[in-house]
Amino acid sequence: VDWVKTAPPKRKRYRNCAAGRRCMTDMKSNITMCHQFLGSMATKIYHEGNHTLDHSLRGHGDSSCLLHNKMIADISLFDVVFVQEVSWFTSVVRTLNSTTSPSEWISNMLPQMYYDAMSKFLSKISEKTKTVFVLGQIGADCENKTVPEPSFDPIQIPDKYGWRLAPKLWNTALTLIEKEGLDVQVVDVREPLMQSVHAHPSPDCLHFCMNSAAINIYLDVYWNEVFSS
């Protein structure tokens, strides 16, 4: 498959919004599929007692510009948008750890920040195009593994980069989609994706699985319903 890469936005205001986009076209079906990393985002600064959670202080700058109408319009140009947004939220616990926002407190606040941000993000996109939320892969321990895992349990998620918060955020996503009445379909492929970490036997297979295995499973799951027509 020949993936064509386009550069991320150059304007300073949108520089931290998203990485470059990689696209390929199925010539026979005339379907273009693109993959793009999006950052975490926040709708406001959170305060509780002496603690403050300011997303704009994250290591790569503030990527809350994802919620701007220009970015939403760009993403919504597609007929179907698959959203899998967990990994970069869990890393906030590490990148924003400080005396005013200790990691333990951030861990407790993160589900609320995630709820607020993803509720706004999903509601905006789903108003413009068909939207699917994917409960999918998070970082896993895949070193020296060459065969599929017989089963997956969230307790197997490594205790690094905040990854163990993933199950809590998955549940938060399901809650917000139902509670806010969003027109968003949910596909749960956590188990097959987490069983397939053997495909890239190195210490951290997060990026590999998000770039390739995840996309393949989405297409397998949705081929008959979405793409065959």
Side-chain angles (χ1 to χ4, degrees):
V1 174
D2 184 21
W3 292 90
V4 178
K5 183 178 180 179
T6 56
K10 292 184 179 180
R11 290 178 59 186
K12 186 175 181 180
R13 183 182 182 188
Y14 300 105
R15 190 172 297 164
N16 296 308
C17 282
R21 181 178 291 172
R22 289 176 170 82
C23 299
M24 60 84 68
T25 299
D26 180 344
M27 301 302 294
K28 184 176 181 180
S29 303
N30 193 29
I31 295 173
T32 297
M33 291 167 279
C34 297
H35 171 263
Q36 187 172 27
F37 280 117
L38 306 179
S40 56
M41 59 197 100
T43 58
K44 62 182 181 180
I45 297 175
Y46 295 83
H47 301 282
E48 186 179 76
N50 295 325
H51 296 154
T52 299
L53 179 55
D54 185 351
H55 180 269
S56 67
L57 300 178
R58 62 191 284 272
H60 300 289
D62 190 8
S63 55
S64 297
C65 44
L66 280 164
L67 299 172
H68 292 179
N69 291 334
K70 181 182 183 301
M71 296 301 300
I72 295 295
D74 181 59
I75 296 171
S76 301
L77 290 173
F78 292 89
D79 298 308
V80 185
V81 174
F82 296 92
V83 179
Q84 178 182 310
E85 183 63 279
V86 168
S87 299
W88 312 134
F89 274 91
T90 66
S91 66
V92 168
V93 175
R94 179 174 57 94
T95 58
L96 292 183
N97 181 36
S98 68
T99 54
T100 57
S101 57
S103 58
E104 185 175 350
W105 178 75
I106 297 176
S107 297
N108 293 329
M109 291 295 296
L110 197 60
Q112 185 61 54
M113 174 181 147
Y114 181 83
Y115 186 105
D116 295 340
M118 290 305 295
S119 178
K120 188 171 184 178
F121 185 69
L122 290 173
S123 63
K124 283 190 171 188
I125 291 181
S126 61
E127 287 175 356
K128 296 179 179 296
T129 191
K130 180 176 175 62
T131 306
V132 180
F133 188 86
V134 180
L135 294 174
Q137 202 256 354
I138 187 67
D141 180 11
C142 45
E143 189 169 15
N144 298 321
K145 294 182 180 178
T146 56
V147 297
E149 295 283 352
S151 61
F152 167 70
D153 190 306
I155 199 172
Q156 297 170 329
I157 298 175
D159 187 17
K160 58 181 180 180
Y161 308 123
W163 285 343
R164 285 192 176 173
L165 285 169
K168 186 177 290 187
L169 298 187
W170 286 329
N171 290 336
T172 299
L174 295 175
T175 298
L176 77 88
I177 289 171
E178 180 178 3
K179 186 176 180 179
E180 303 296 331
L182 301 182
D183 185 17
V184 175
Q185 187 174 355
V186 177
V187 56
D188 186 348
V189 290
R190 286 173 290 182
E191 189 158 344
L193 285 183
M194 297 301 288
Q195 288 175 341
S196 299
V197 295
H198 68 283
H200 184 58
S202 70
D204 174 7
C205 58
L206 173 65
H207 292 82
F208 174 85
C209 290
M210 291 179 69
N211 286 347
S212 57
I215 290 177
N216 291 333
I217 283 197
Y218 303 164
L219 298 183
D220 288 344
V221 170
Y222 275 87
W223 187 265
N224 289 328
E225 181 179 345
V226 178
F227 297 111
S228 61
S229 59

